[in-house]
Amino acid sequence: MAVVWLDDVRADDLDLVGGKGASLGELTGAGLPVPPGFVVTASTYRAFIEDAGIDDELFAAVEVDHEDSAALQAAHEAAHDLIMETPMPDDVREEILDAYRSVGEGDAFVAVRSSATAEDLPDASFAGQQETFLNVTEEDLLDRVKECWASLFSERAIYYRNRKGFPHDKVDIAVVVQQMVDAEKSGVMFTRHPSTGKKEIIIEAAWGLGEAVVSGTVSPDNYVVSRESGEVETATIADKKTMCVRDEESGETVMRDVPNGRRHERVLTDDEVSRLLELGELVEDHYEKPQDVEWAVYDGEVYMLQSRPITTIAEGDDGEETESEGDSGGSSRATATGDDVLIRGLGASPGIASGRARIVTKLDHLDQVAEGDIIVTEMTMPDMVPAMKRAAGIVTDEGGMTSHAAIVSRELGVPAVVGTGDGTKTLEDGEVVTIDGDKGTVREGEEPEEKQRQPVEEARPKTPVKPMTATEVKVNVSIPEAAERAAATGADGVGLLRIEHMVLTLGKTPERFIEQNGERAYVDEIVSGVREAAEEFYPRPVRVRTLDAPTDEFRQLEGGENEPREHNPMLGYRGIRRGLDNPSVFRLELQAFRRLFDMGYDNLEVMFPLVNDAEDVLRAKEHMREAGIDPEKREWGVMIETPAAALCIEELADAGIDFASFGTNDLTQYTLAVDRNNEHVADIYDELHPAVLKLIGDTIETCREVDVKTSICGQAGSKPKMVQFLVDKGVSSISANIDAVRDVQHEVKRVEQRLLLDSVR
Ligand code: PEP
Ligand code: MG
């Protein structure tokens, strides 16, 4: 039998119908309304390649060096051609076409989706690697099925399996063929609040096909429904300018303007909300886990298109923020805990990964870091970034949540545990360990593959819908290579682009680099780094900060011997004070901005770090003018990182700033006198300390009076409690880490809705 009907499929038929097929079958079997369809089974594909005798040739063709992109492309083409040019056996063709003719009236538009299977490796189907085709009819159906088979050998899929060392012949592919639902309205539904876990149903709905909602191109209506009473607690009706529809002629999915009369019309009727609530309860009961459901309404019926667990809610989550469980500082091997935890620190970058520990004490040890190893080091440095990219995880002795290791790992999407105290001494070079970047633990041994969480997956939006918020939600970027991932989060811009990384990776102090290569070369370096982000986000705004690296970071570079020796570099020669004291390098940074403005990057904004008072600001402004930047025409502002800056905010506003951005990493250390990088005091480093919040709250209040925008770009902007506080106070924007953007969007939306409600009650 080449095909099976979804009605006959259950969750444990994974090997036969792949993940997608099994999940749709399970929903169908649970009595939930799923559009009808069938699956061309994985064994049909396997029989196709084996009976035609192309299997050996196919698998041999894709055994290539996956780092060689030309070889990878050639492998993909060879495999694709082999599959496409091999005829499908007649009986299989007939069976698929027969099944198709029984879907709908026999001339239905169907969706054709790949559904890969792999023993021991659920991730083999790695989201997005395989093809999906919409609006397919009989004419193209068989070719589309073969295209799905061939997509098992896309470049990404070959690369991924080779990198994982996973044999190509252990993966099969099924193909789901399902009636397209020509939705009049559609959207998503969370059976719990995706950030807080609260027991309410959240529905987002828009006109037309679901793609517009899922991709965030239209702001949908939002309904919050109590699961206790079934009442709609809030219904926020959005202005829905566009909708996704199927073009009658071509069958393609296209965007159309919503007719004027419907833009502000409520999408869901009370009956439809009740039906969704009912289905939400059923699907959550069925899976015994909160679900994130894609649904559509067609001809008065509500259909479920997909359901998956909400990954942002931890089991038993009662809505409280989950912080790292690890205490920081010193540890002893697997004794205190009695479990297999070897060492604890701060969970600095989420994800779980296993690999061989590589103790890196000197830079020349970096060569020994192989793909998939866990780097264990005192503290990471910019030169380590290429090795950090290869690594499966990072463990450091020193540092807090705002250290280099923490910031870069988050941007690279590599799990990290920082501030373990003596990880480099406790862990043994070469031993296999598992790090948990959420809990902040390093355990002995290897975690089964399915329990490890893909760093790439961690970076993906955890829920498919981009919530529309009045408070802008931006993202922080420190390494230009992360700009693409950062932009993919759907953030409203970059709230902080640090240029330190671009400068420190030169391997020389700016002075030495300029001495050897000339001023122009230095400007070029900054232009090219900043441009990467400016281009990626254009026209969304990108706030770029002038250099702020403490002298101890420069000291490690060539030319570092000329850096002043400071007792406490955090309180020393850094940020704007250095720029103003010795403007030779600072001027060049401003020239780089000028060049970028001239190149048309009018989305750039200039931000000055570590200012204390109006004098700092006025002098910096003068330098801008000298560099040919008109402060009246460009958007510029300052970081609020010292209590002095917060207390002098009125004077700073008078000096002409457009925005003030809270650098809570520094503001906290200077308010509480707690070194942010010192793991011994990490437990009293608290961005939510009332003193810090008072400085922030008062500053926002003043800024609102004098029309200066406020923002946060410190690490605390990714914490739900800080987000609640800031939105309550009326902050203009929040800039979060890449991995936190989507959750922050939801949190902001929740607070905004509460504020709206409070104002009308
Ligand atoms: C801050 O201090 O909060 C900040 C964002 O700047 P940095 O972490 O680069 O000091
Ligand atoms: Mg700072």
Side-chain angles (χ1 to χ4, degrees):
M1 239 185 16
V3 307
V4 289
W5 288 93
L6 282 178
D7 299 299
D8 301 326
V9 168
R10 292 296 171 267
D12 53 8
D13 291 326
L14 211 78
D15 290 350
L16 187 68
V17 297
K20 202 168 283 154
S23 128
L24 286 168
E26 182 70 19
L27 284 173
T28 311
L32 290 156
V34 175
F38 60 91
V39 188
V40 180
T41 65
S43 14
T44 307
Y45 153 78
R46 181 53 73 147
F48 165 76
I49 56 168
E50 286 178 0
D51 295 350
I54 58 170
D55 49 341
D56 289 342
E57 198 181 338
L58 193 57
F59 299 131
V62 293
E63 275 313 328
V64 288
D65 172 4
H66 56 273
E67 296 298 348
D68 176 347
S69 48
L72 205 58
Q73 190 186 351
H76 154 69
E77 281 167 10
H80 179 267
D81 292 352
L82 204 52
I83 290 177
M84 294 311 289
E85 283 159 16
T86 303
M88 203 184 262
D90 286 344
D91 54 336
V92 175
R93 295 168 61 94
E94 279 317 308
E95 230 190 294
I96 296 175
L97 291 176
D98 273 355
Y100 167 81
R101 289 173 194 135
S102 346
V103 174
E105 306 279 284
D107 56 358
F109 281 94
V110 289
V112 178
R113 303 176 201 271
S114 308
S115 178
T117 75
E119 284 166 58
D120 311 326
L121 186 62
D123 279 346
S125 60
F126 193 24
Q129 273 180 9
Q130 280 94 34
E131 291 280 11
T132 284
F133 300 95
L134 301 179
N135 296 318
V136 178
T137 52
E138 177 165 348
E139 201 184 335
D140 299 325
L141 179 61
L142 297 173
D143 267 351
R144 294 304 187 217
V145 170
K146 277 166 85 185
E147 287 282 0
C148 286
W149 291 346
S151 70
L152 201 49
F153 302 97
S154 69
E155 287 180 48
R156 279 181 63 203
I158 302 172
Y159 177 85
Y160 178 74
R161 290 196 295 270
N162 273 359
R163 233 187 73 175
K164 288 261 165 192
F166 197 84
H168 293 287
D169 62 352
K170 286 273 185 294
V171 190
D172 284 338
I173 190 160
V175 182
V176 177
V177 179
Q178 201 183 14
Q179 183 168 12
M180 290 284 302
V181 173
D182 220 349
E184 292 136 20
K185 32 182 115 167
S186 53
V188 299
M189 159 168 71
F190 304 97
T191 63
R192 300 277 178 109
H193 190 288
S195 314
T196 64
K198 201 168 157 203
K199 241 185 144 193
E200 56 195 12
I201 298 241
I202 316 278
I203 304 171
E204 311 232 306
W207 303 115
L209 302 172
E211 280 85 340
V213 180
V214 174
S215 65
T217 46
V218 60
S219 57
D221 285 1
N222 179 286
Y223 308 81
V224 180
V225 188
S226 159
R227 287 181 57 173
E228 313 269 286
S229 65
E231 295 292 308
V232 177
E233 289 181 338
T234 45
T236 313
I237 310 305
D239 175 6
K240 301 161 286 289
K241 297 192 182 80
T242 50
M243 64 198 281
C244 234
V245 291
R246 194 176 68 215
D247 185 71
E248 299 269 311
E249 304 230 314
S250 63
E252 305 272 306
T253 305
V254 291
M255 291 301 280
R256 292 264 160 77
D257 287 345
V258 173
N260 266 346
R262 307 202 85 186
R263 275 175 53 166
H264 299 276
E265 196 181 311
R266 176 174 155 152
V267 173
L268 290 178
T269 62
D270 285 345
D271 284 351
E272 285 161 346
V273 171
S274 305
R275 176 70 176 139
L276 278 164
L277 173 67
E278 188 186 344
L279 294 178
E281 298 275 354
L282 282 173
V283 72
E284 186 177 305
D285 282 355
H286 184 73
Y287 284 109
E288 296 176 350
K289 281 210 172 96
Q291 298 288 302
D292 158 356
V293 175
E294 284 176 37
W295 57 266
V297 174
Y298 172 55
D299 217 8
E301 287 294 316
V302 180
Y303 290 95
M304 296 185 62
L305 307 180
Q306 186 169 80
S307 182
R308 52 191 162 214
I310 304 178
T311 47
T312 42
I313 306 177
E315 218 131 336
D317 199 339
D318 54 3
E320 284 302 296
E321 179 186 352
T322 44
E323 274 281 284
S324 159
E325 285 174 9
D327 52 355
S328 59
S331 68
S332 58
R333 237 187 121 85
T335 48
T337 54
D339 57 18
D340 56 355
V341 173
L342 298 173
I343 194 158
R344 290 179 189 275
L346 299 168
S349 174
I352 298 176
S354 300
R356 251 171 229 296
R358 282 288 162 233
I359 315 283
V360 175
T361 48
K362 293 206 197 81
L363 278 185
D364 58 3
H365 292 175
L366 282 173
D367 291 349
Q368 292 158 21
V369 177
E371 193 77 42
D373 283 350
I374 307 278
I375 295 182
V376 183
T377 185
E378 273 180 26
M379 187 58 208
T380 61
M381 285 182 289
D383 336 40
M384 290 188 181
V385 172
M388 289 169 81
K389 283 187 194 155
R390 290 197 292 278
I394 320 272
V395 178
T396 67
D397 290 353
E398 298 168 5
M401 296 295 282
T402 64
S403 57
H404 178 267
I407 292 169
V408 174
S409 323
R410 278 195 296 270
E411 291 197 5
L412 293 174
V414 179
V417 176
V418 302
T420 58
D422 56 3
T424 49
K425 299 199 186 66
T426 309
L427 302 176
E428 276 158 32
D429 194 57
E431 78 173 319
V432 173
V433 294
T434 295
I435 78 165
D436 185 329
D438 298 82
K439 295 203 175 71
T441 56
V442 181
R443 281 178 283 125
E444 209 168 354
E446 189 166 10
E447 193 73 4
E449 188 87 32
E450 68 272 16
K451 288 213 174 145
Q452 295 186 34
R453 282 193 280 139
Q454 285 304 316
V456 183
E457 286 305 310
E458 296 294 330
R460 267 183 223 293
K462 305 241 170 55
T463 50
V465 184
K466 174 184 186 308
M468 295 291 164
T469 55
T471 312
E472 289 175 314
V473 179
K474 301 184 180 175
V475 62
N476 293 339
V477 178
S478 296
I479 49 177
E481 300 100 301
E484 192 186 341
R485 288 177 67 236
T489 60
D492 296 315
V494 175
L496 167 63
L497 174 64
R498 293 180 170 97
I499 65 168
E500 288 76 60
H501 183 80
M502 298 168 210
V503 173
L504 293 169
T505 38
L506 298 174
K508 300 170 183 159
T509 60
E511 284 82 358
R512 175 63 56 87
F513 183 85
I514 293 162
E515 205 176 285
Q516 293 176 345
N517 304 281
E519 292 188 341
R520 173 80 193 195
Y522 184 71
V523 174
D524 285 348
E525 288 290 338
I526 296 177
V527 166
S528 85
V530 172
R531 184 184 183 169
E532 248 180 84
E535 178 66 45
E536 198 65 62
F537 276 83
Y538 195 88
R540 291 178 274 175
V542 175
R543 207 165 265 182
V544 189
R545 185 178 72 181
T546 58
L547 193 61
D548 179 14
T551 49
D552 55 338
E553 287 189 18
F554 282 132
R555 180 160 286 288
Q556 329 211 8
L557 307 175
E558 195 187 317
E561 62 282 4
N562 298 329
E563 288 292 301
R565 279 198 180 277
E566 295 189 290
H567 200 59
N568 191 339
M570 276 298 185
L571 296 178
Y573 200 48
R574 56 174 285 209
I576 199 69
R577 54 185 76 164
R578 179 171 185 153
L580 295 175
D581 179 68
N582 176 7
S584 58
V585 177
F586 181 56
R587 273 190 314 107
L588 300 179
E589 288 158 27
L590 293 173
Q591 282 176 24
F593 283 112
R594 160 77 198 268
R595 283 249 307 273
L596 286 155
F597 285 134
D598 289 349
M599 287 156 90
Y601 291 104
D602 51 8
N603 56 332
L604 288 180
E605 302 176 357
V606 185
M607 178 154 72
F608 298 115
L610 219 71
V611 299
N612 265 340
D613 48 40
E615 193 191 331
D616 285 345
V617 176
L618 290 169
R619 288 176 65 195
K621 191 174 173 183
E622 199 42 48
H623 279 289
M624 263 200 293
R625 280 208 186 89
E626 276 168 26
I629 302 169
D630 183 348
E632 309 309 321
K633 294 218 175 94
R634 301 292 174 190
E635 195 77 8
W636 64 282
V638 297
M639 305 266 302
I640 304 292
E641 292 173 289
T642 66
L647 296 168
C648 292
I649 187 65
E650 271 184 67
E651 292 80 1
L652 302 186
D654 284 347
I657 56 171
D658 296 306
F659 61 82
S661 182
F662 299 105
T664 42
N665 304 341
D666 280 319
L667 186 61
T668 306
Q669 77 165 346
Y670 298 136
T671 305
L672 303 180
V674 174
D675 176 351
R676 63 192 253 186
N677 283 339
N678 182 340
E679 66 275 12
H680 300 292
V681 285
D683 54 340
I684 51 169
Y685 180 86
D686 177 15
E687 296 118 320
L688 296 162
H689 189 286
V692 180
L693 294 185
K694 173 142 181 51
L695 287 169
I696 295 176
D698 290 354
T699 305
I700 295 180
E701 202 177 310
T702 309
C703 284
R704 290 180 64 177
E705 282 161 18
V706 295
D707 215 13
V708 164
K709 291 188 210 96
T710 47
S711 186
I712 184 171
C713 58
Q715 160 71 17
S718 301
K719 295 190 165 178
K721 288 205 172 112
M722 180 60 95
V723 172
Q724 286 156 20
F725 173 81
L726 292 169
V727 177
D728 259 336
K729 291 283 173 199
V731 79
S732 328
S733 66
I734 288 178
S735 191
N737 303 326
I738 294 179
D739 54 280
V741 168
R742 190 46 61 98
D743 290 350
V744 170
Q745 288 168 335
H746 279 290
E747 194 56 50
V748 168
K749 182 151 188 173
R750 196 173 76 91
V751 183
E752 287 180 353
Q753 281 177 340
R754 180 177 45 71
L755 288 173
L756 261 175
L757 259 188
D758 288 350
S759 70
V760 295
R761 272 183 179 147

